[in-house]
Amino acid sequence: MAPSHKTILIGISGGIAAYKVAELVSRLKKKGYQVEVIMTESARQLVAPLTFSTLSGRPVRTEMFHEIVTEHVEVEHISMADRADLMVIVPATANIIGKAANGIADDLLSTVIMAASCPVMYFPAMNTRMWEHPVLQENITKLRSLGYEVIDPDSGFLACGTSGKGRLGSIDSIEAKILETLEKQDRQTLAGKTVLVSAGPTREPVDPVRYLTNRSSGKMGYAIAAAASKRGAEVVLVSGPVSLSVPTGVKRISVETALEMQAAMAEQMDQADIVIMAAAVADYRVAKPATEKIKKDDEEMSLNLVKNPDILSALGARKGQRIVVGFAAETNDLKANALSKLKKKNLNMIVANDVTQAGAGFDVDTNIAVIYRDNGSSREIPLTSKEALAEIILDEIECNDKEDER
Ligand code: C5P
């Protein structure tokens, strides 16, 4: 997409480094981007808004409520958030970080952050003691776990007369980070490829009204499907029962049982270049589900279970030139178990998570993972959103693909 079609929303909070942002706005504008600026009330005390409105060619916004005189009445904080392809908070004070991490939306900037669906990057700048404060660090960890990008400040001379960590990074480095993120949004690196993804739990019937299932929400698989589609792939998503909507551009095939999932995956495998098995398949099913509702006449009852097929092993066994990726949810011996599954199921990559850790695994929005590849390499991913992990998994797959071509 041409820069002129991209809008960068710069949020300036009240740190003394606010004056440096004038140079950033000027550079981004010269590159052809649409730049809009929101200043907090304190930022306005430090630098005149006129500086930024002149450089960006747009009025600078501060007020949550101002008299609407046009005939097109719009809810400004929502429309600003909708227009943005990227939001950059620079400098990000301890205050705006604290508000964003805790859902406080008491002025225009904090409200637009909450309303934004585009990526949001924070460039903190503050006194070293504030930077090192455990509350600030906790807030940053929380923002990162929610998928926001927070870039550590530099070390150096600070406006308060001391020296240490907390100095705003150079405008060169901030500009480079912004451009890198915007370029990533446009990359169609999976164009021409078909990606087959499985997601969600399976449901194994006990009788006409009951079933066995697990806690999988499907969020990880859906995030992968959405990310692959954005990178230009044809995406087929074989999904167990979940309450998520189909990501844009993705073809969903809905299944219930492991046997139905196996049949759908086997059928779709031929067209696929990349197969990612993120579903939590039930290992066992009821041997003979009752045709009528089971009555509670007896004090005890037992179910006779039989093993379900390992779908991924079968796909791995006939993978040919495809890249096949599995998941391993473990409660112990993460590395040993993951590596053994990588080998046994003939995978190119396995994404292992220790589901005993808070923030990892089923039914949460975040994950903590280690990606093991068949070339022996591994990559540890600290607590992050499932959307961000999906991007990392696709980066690793693309990396694997390139190595294979060499
Ligand atoms: O062996 P384990 O169940 O831990 O392996 C997990 C991986 O295998 C996941 O990618 C999961 O989707 C897949 N799997 C499967 N069929 C099963 C069980 C798991 O494809 N019956």
Side-chain angles (χ1 to χ4, degrees):
M1 211 194 266
S4 59
H5 292 110
K6 294 242 174 190
T7 299
I8 307 169
L9 183 51
I10 308 257
I12 306 176
S13 58
I16 189 64
Y19 75 93
K20 297 182 182 173
V21 183
E23 172 69 16
L24 181 68
V25 171
S26 163
R27 287 193 198 180
L28 295 171
K29 190 69 191 159
K30 277 191 199 133
K31 287 213 153 58
Y33 292 101
Q34 305 289 334
V35 183
E36 294 201 41
V37 175
I38 298 178
M39 296 179 83
T40 62
E41 200 49 61
S42 346
R44 290 176 87 112
Q45 304 291 321
L46 296 162
V47 192
L50 186 60
T51 307
F52 296 105
S53 55
T54 309
L55 292 170
S56 68
R58 305 266 307 156
V60 170
R61 301 283 184 220
T62 311
E63 302 292 329
M64 196 52 205
F65 307 104
H66 61 97
E67 222 177 311
I68 296 161
V69 284
T70 60
E71 53 191 49
H72 298 291
V73 176
E74 53 177 26
V75 181
E76 189 158 42
H77 59 278
I78 303 296
S79 63
M80 285 189 100
D82 285 348
R83 274 199 301 277
D85 294 287
L86 176 67
M87 195 168 175
V88 182
I89 316 302
V90 55
T93 56
N95 183 49
I96 194 74
I97 289 170
K99 289 204 277 188
N102 293 286
I104 296 170
D106 64 351
D107 64 0
L108 185 63
L109 181 55
S110 50
T111 309
V112 175
I113 291 174
M114 267 196 115
S117 56
C118 64
V120 182
M121 303 171 88
Y122 294 81
F123 291 91
M126 64 198 74
N127 162 275
T128 309
R129 279 200 304 278
M130 291 173 77
W131 170 253
E132 287 171 353
H133 198 289
V135 173
L136 186 273
Q137 287 300 321
E138 208 172 279
N139 287 335
I140 286 181
T141 303
K142 188 164 173 195
L143 287 180
R144 285 183 173 144
S145 76
L146 294 169
Y148 294 105
E149 195 169 355
V150 184
I151 291 90
D152 277 11
D154 283 356
S155 292
F157 183 74
L158 301 170
C160 51
T162 58
S163 208
K165 196 161 181 176
R167 196 181 147 90
L168 186 71
S170 70
I171 294 303
D172 279 347
S173 68
I174 295 173
E175 184 190 5
K177 275 264 172 215
I178 292 173
L179 297 182
E180 187 190 310
T181 306
L182 288 168
E183 275 156 23
K184 264 193 195 168
Q185 289 179 352
D186 286 340
R187 59 187 183 171
Q188 294 286 292
T189 41
L190 291 175
K193 304 266 184 201
T194 299
V195 179
L196 175 60
V197 186
S198 71
T202 64
R203 224 178 233 182
E204 310 298 332
V206 173
D207 68 15
V209 295
R210 303 181 179 96
Y211 52 77
L212 302 177
T213 191
N214 58 61
R215 290 180 187 281
S216 170
S217 62
K219 284 176 187 160
M220 192 64 245
Y222 274 61
I224 293 171
S229 174
K230 280 203 196 116
R231 291 187 189 199
E234 287 274 322
V235 183
V236 179
L237 175 63
V238 174
S239 172
V242 295
S243 55
L244 300 171
S245 44
V246 193
T248 317
V250 170
K251 176 182 165 196
R252 177 165 70 181
I253 300 173
S254 297
V255 297
E256 279 210 17
T257 65
L259 293 180
E260 285 171 17
M261 185 170 278
Q262 181 193 34
M265 292 298 283
E267 197 188 317
Q268 296 299 321
M269 169 88 164
D270 290 342
Q271 292 85 271
D273 302 291
I274 297 163
V275 181
I276 306 168
M277 190 78 201
V281 186
D283 289 326
Y284 292 90
R285 67 180 181 277
V286 178
K288 279 202 188 103
T291 50
E292 287 175 1
K293 187 178 170 198
I294 300 170
K295 299 277 179 273
K296 54 174 185 296
D297 297 336
D298 301 325
E299 279 312 304
E300 285 184 9
M301 77 159 287
S302 53
L303 291 171
N304 187 21
L305 303 179
V306 290
K307 203 159 189 192
N308 269 328
D310 191 312
I311 304 172
L312 186 56
S313 288
L315 300 176
R318 63 177 188 99
K319 74 174 178 188
Q321 296 306 305
R322 295 173 192 85
I323 293 179
V324 178
V325 180
F327 276 74
E330 306 292 341
T331 53
N332 57 295
D333 300 326
L334 183 74
K335 184 174 180 184
N337 284 324
L339 289 179
S340 135
K341 285 174 192 174
L342 179 77
K343 200 155 186 275
K344 212 163 73 191
K345 302 192 190 205
N346 198 27
L347 310 176
N348 299 82
M349 197 184 291
I350 193 150
V351 184
N353 12 74
D354 173 352
V355 287
T356 60
Q357 288 192 66
F362 294 157
D363 212 14
V364 285
D365 291 330
T366 52
N367 220 338
I368 305 167
V370 188
I371 300 179
Y372 295 100
R373 287 185 34 199
D374 58 349
N375 66 1
S377 72
S378 63
R379 180 169 171 186
E380 280 189 37
I381 321 293
L383 184 70
T384 190
S385 67
K386 287 186 172 168
E387 285 75 16
L389 180 57
E391 299 289 351
I392 294 169
I393 293 168
L394 293 180
D395 287 346
E396 288 290 323
I397 289 173
E398 286 179 14
C399 203
N400 188 307
D401 209 14
K402 281 202 197 96
E403 282 166 16
D404 285 354
E405 278 167 14
R406 273 186 217 134

